[in-house]
């Protein structure tokens, strides 16, 4: 257990790292017994190995790139996210949920709003039922006070009741059973491979208070420039092909966002600081203009045009009334609704047709039929040169073993007689005359019109 090598490659046994499996790497929650007492439990070995793999990845991330990280290790996604939040920002936590009771006990100590998968509406609805009161607060003012244990131990709460409470237009089918499972630490959601393309890209900044339209416009220009640069860094891919001449042709968009969103947050007005709704974010969305994807124009020009044609109209829609005094605390510009472009790997939505045309000569080379002109030989009058090359060297069927055709004098095996007779019939119909002796062999049965090259 003290000297182990964690192999990371199936093909190369030297790729990996050494680890000491006498203890779990990092912090632990749950079972504190010695490792040798848990070796007979099916879930212990996977959790032990996962903790050392996570420690190795975090170590490489920090030493090679300078990024600190945190990690949660458990038996499903919701437990991993909850355990990963325990020792931020530079550590890892393994939840030793070796049984159902361990998972339920761990989740039970968390507030409803802390559980991944429970939004503020779901959590507020459950809390209103448990506390027998009715509150309708937004996501910024709502503070959860009921734990998962209190909710699931309430005498009225059950999967059927949760389904009834959350029923309505557009509600998820079976949501009651899913929420009930999350309250017990059960999550069957599949862990999917992360996408190379972000779901959205945003740039934001905070301020002491932007009060004039000129100040806001100046900050919008700065954020727009940063957003265009981010788009080109994150969503542009290089195509370094020999037949691509310009830099613009060597780059393509792997994804194109369709929606532009502007979000602001204002400081509370004087004398109204008790109303926390003044600190809530408000946003407006619109289509992202296509000129953003023009690679021949510099980022400053595109940023200026984006502010004038798209961001300022969205800002005016955020203005409640004419003459409103601004006092902005935050501005956020975001692009979303990514439409993935064509690519040659699994990350793309279909094949890249332009790249297919550029590489078709090399890809189709093994299956291309070379003509006599390509070989530097004189073309034949009746059949192609490649056919003559094959048939001229072909050996005829033995005459002593097969009957001889009366028309051409060649021996023909019994299985080829029907096709050989049709060959002569077609010859008579087309009026093409005599052909070379080698063409009259059994190889000619592959063609229905042998006289047409």
């Amino acid at each position: 257990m003290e000297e182990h090598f964690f192999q990371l490659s199936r093909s190369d046994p030297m790729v990996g790292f050494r680890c000491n499996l006498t203890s779990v790497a990092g912090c632990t929650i749950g079972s504190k017994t010695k490792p040798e007492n848990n070796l007979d439990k099916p879930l212990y070995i996977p959790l032990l190995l996962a903790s050392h793999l996570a420690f190795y990845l975090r170590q490489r991330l920090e030493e090679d790139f300078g990024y600190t990280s945190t990690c949660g290790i458990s038996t499903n996604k919701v437990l991993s996210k909850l355990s990963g939040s325990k020792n931020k920002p530079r550590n890892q936590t393994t939840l030793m949920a070796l049984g159902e009771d361990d998972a339920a006990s761990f989740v039970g100590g968390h507030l409803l709003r802390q559980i991944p998968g429970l939004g503020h509406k779901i959590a507020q609805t459950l809390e209103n039922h448990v506390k027998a009161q009715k509150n309708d607060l937004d996501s910024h003012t709502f503070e959860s006070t009921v734990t998962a244990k209190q909710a699931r131990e309430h005498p009225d709460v059950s999967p059927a009741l949760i389904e009834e409470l959350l029923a309505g237009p557009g509600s998820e089918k079976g949501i009651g059973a899913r929420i009930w499972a999350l309250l017990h630490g059960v999550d069957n959601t599949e862990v999917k491979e992360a996408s190379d393309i972000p779901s959205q890209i945003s740039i934001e900044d905070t301020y002491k208070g932007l009060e004039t339209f000129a100040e806001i416009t100046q900050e919008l220009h700065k954020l727009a420039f940063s957003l265009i640069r981010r788009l080109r860094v994150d969503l542009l891919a290089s195509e370094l092909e020999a037949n691509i001449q310009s830099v613009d042709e060597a780059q393509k968009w792997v994804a194109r966002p369709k929606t532009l969103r502007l979000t602001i947050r204002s400081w509370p007005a004087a004398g109204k600081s008790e109303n926390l709704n003044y600190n809530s974010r408000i946003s407006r969305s619109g289509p992202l203009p296509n000129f953003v994807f023009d690679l021949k124009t510099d980022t400053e020009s595109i940023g200026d045009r984006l502010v004038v044609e798209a961001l300022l109209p969205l800002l005016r829609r955020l203005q409640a009334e004419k003459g409103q005094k601004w006092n902005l605390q935050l501005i956020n510009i975001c692009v979303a609704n990514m439409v993935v472009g064509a690519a040659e790997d699994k990350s793309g939505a279909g094949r890249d047709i332009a790249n297919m045309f550029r590489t078709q000569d090399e890809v189709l080379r093994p299956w291309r039929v070379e003509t006599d002109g390509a070989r530097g030989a004189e073309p034949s009058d009746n059949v192609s040169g490649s056919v003559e090359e094959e048939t001229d060297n072909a050996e005829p069927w033995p005459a002593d073993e097969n009957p001889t055709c009366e028309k051409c004098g060649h021996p023909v095996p019994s299985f080829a007689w029907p096709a050989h007779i049709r060959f002569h019939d077609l010859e008579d119909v087309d009026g093409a005359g005599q052909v070379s002796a080698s063409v009259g062999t059994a190889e000619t049965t592959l063609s229905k019109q042998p006289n047409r090259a």
Side-chain angles (χ1 to χ4, degrees):
M1 297 291 289
E2 296 180 359
E3 292 292 334
H4 268 73
F5 185 80
F6 200 119
Q7 184 177 337
L8 296 176
S9 173
R10 294 181 181 272
S11 58
D12 189 351
M14 301 302 294
V15 177
F17 61 94
R18 296 183 179 275
C19 58
N20 184 353
L21 298 183
T22 57
S23 61
V24 177
C27 304
T28 59
I29 299 177
S31 178
K32 300 293 184 179
T33 59
K34 296 181 179 180
E36 53 267 21
N37 297 335
N38 293 321
L39 293 178
D40 58 336
K41 298 181 180 179
L43 294 178
Y44 179 77
I45 295 297
L47 291 173
L48 176 66
L49 296 175
S51 69
H52 285 275
L53 176 60
F55 182 81
Y56 171 78
L57 295 176
R58 290 178 53 251
Q59 189 179 31
R60 294 269 61 80
L61 188 63
E62 184 170 355
E63 294 180 359
D64 297 345
F65 303 100
Y67 296 115
T68 60
S69 60
T70 184
C71 184
I73 302 99
S74 191
T75 53
N76 60 49
K77 288 179 66 174
V78 66
L79 295 179
S80 299
K81 291 181 178 180
L82 290 175
S83 58
S85 63
K86 293 299 181 181
N87 292 283
K88 288 185 175 182
R90 193 182 175 185
N91 210 331
Q92 66 182 60
T93 305
T94 303
L95 173 62
M96 305 303 293
L98 305 180
E100 295 181 359
D101 295 338
D102 297 332
S105 176
F106 173 70
V107 176
H110 290 79
L111 298 175
L112 293 179
R113 193 63 182 91
Q114 295 176 330
I115 300 176
L118 299 186
H120 89 276
K121 285 293 184 182
I122 296 177
Q124 188 174 152
T125 302
L126 288 177
E127 288 205 13
N128 289 342
H129 181 80
V130 172
K131 298 169 66 174
Q133 63 183 22
K134 185 175 182 180
N135 292 323
D136 189 13
L137 305 175
D138 58 31
S139 59
H140 300 282
T141 57
F142 170 70
E143 294 183 2
S144 184
T145 58
V146 176
T147 64
K149 182 179 180 181
Q150 293 173 336
R152 69 188 183 215
E153 290 182 352
H154 191 275
D156 295 336
V157 176
S158 64
L161 177 69
I162 298 176
E163 186 85 27
E164 181 180 351
L165 291 175
L166 302 178
S171 61
E172 176 187 348
K173 184 179 181 181
I175 189 173
R178 185 179 68 85
I179 299 301
W180 181 256
L182 291 178
L183 295 177
H184 289 77
V186 178
D187 182 16
N188 296 323
T189 306
E190 180 183 0
V191 179
K192 298 181 180 180
E193 183 178 355
S195 174
D196 295 332
I197 300 173
S199 59
Q200 64 180 24
I201 297 176
S202 64
I203 299 292
E204 72 175 28
D205 202 354
T206 56
Y207 311 94
K208 293 182 179 180
L210 300 178
E211 299 181 351
T212 65
F213 194 79
E215 292 177 338
I216 298 175
T217 303
Q218 183 179 1
E219 296 301 324
L220 285 177
H221 280 281
K222 296 178 182 180
L223 295 176
F225 299 156
S226 300
L227 180 65
I228 300 302
R229 287 194 293 266
R230 276 283 307 276
L231 287 176
R232 295 190 175 187
V233 171
D234 294 349
L235 301 182
L236 274 182
S238 299
E239 291 184 320
L240 301 180
E241 300 290 344
N243 55 350
I244 295 180
Q245 302 298 329
S246 65
V247 177
D248 294 336
E249 292 179 354
Q251 293 181 317
K252 68 172 183 178
W253 294 96
V254 295
R256 291 173 178 255
K258 293 297 183 182
T259 303
L260 175 67
R261 183 171 67 241
L262 175 64
T263 303
I264 62 173
R265 185 176 65 200
S266 301
W267 287 101
K272 297 183 179 180
S273 59
E274 71 280 357
N275 191 346
L276 297 179
N277 285 330
Y278 278 82
N279 281 333
S280 61
R281 296 189 179 196
I282 55 176
S283 61
R284 293 293 183 270
S285 301
L288 181 66
N290 286 329
F291 62 78
V292 171
F293 308 108
D294 184 7
L295 299 179
K296 297 180 181 180
T297 307
D298 59 277
T299 57
E300 288 76 11
S301 300
I302 294 180
D304 291 337
R305 188 177 175 186
L306 182 65
V307 172
V308 174
E309 299 185 17
L311 293 177
L312 289 182
L314 292 178
L315 181 64
R316 294 188 183 96
R317 289 170 55 189
L318 289 170
Q319 192 173 15
E321 56 186 15
K322 290 185 178 181
Q324 174 187 356
K325 293 184 179 181
W326 298 100
N327 191 13
L328 297 187
Q329 180 188 20
L330 175 143
I331 299 178
N332 176 285
I333 304 176
C334 174
V335 291
N337 293 337
M338 297 286 181
V339 177
V340 181
E344 296 303 316
D345 54 12
K346 63 181 180 180
S347 63
R351 299 288 301 277
D352 188 347
I353 298 178
N355 186 59
M356 290 172 62
F357 278 114
R358 283 195 296 266
T359 60
Q360 65 176 347
D361 291 338
E362 186 65 27
V363 173
L364 299 177
R365 188 182 302 277
W367 294 277
R368 183 175 290 108
V369 177
E370 296 184 2
T371 62
D372 285 330
R375 294 171 179 263
E378 292 295 332
S380 175
D381 293 335
N382 50 2
V383 292
S384 64
S386 58
V387 174
E388 283 192 342
E389 183 176 294
E390 295 177 359
T391 55
D392 288 344
N393 298 328
E395 297 182 359
W397 296 95
D400 54 349
E401 299 178 3
N402 300 287
T404 303
C405 177
E406 296 180 356
K407 289 189 176 182
C408 61
H410 286 85
V412 180
S414 57
F415 69 85
W417 266 109
H420 189 76
I421 294 174
R422 288 197 300 271
F423 163 72
H424 285 300
D425 293 341
L426 290 173
E427 181 184 25
D428 295 339
V429 172
D430 293 341
Q434 188 74 19
V435 295
S436 62
S438 59
V439 180
T441 60
E443 283 84 347
T444 61
T445 62
L446 299 177
S447 175
K448 293 185 178 181
Q449 296 182 355
N451 286 333
R452 297 181 180 178

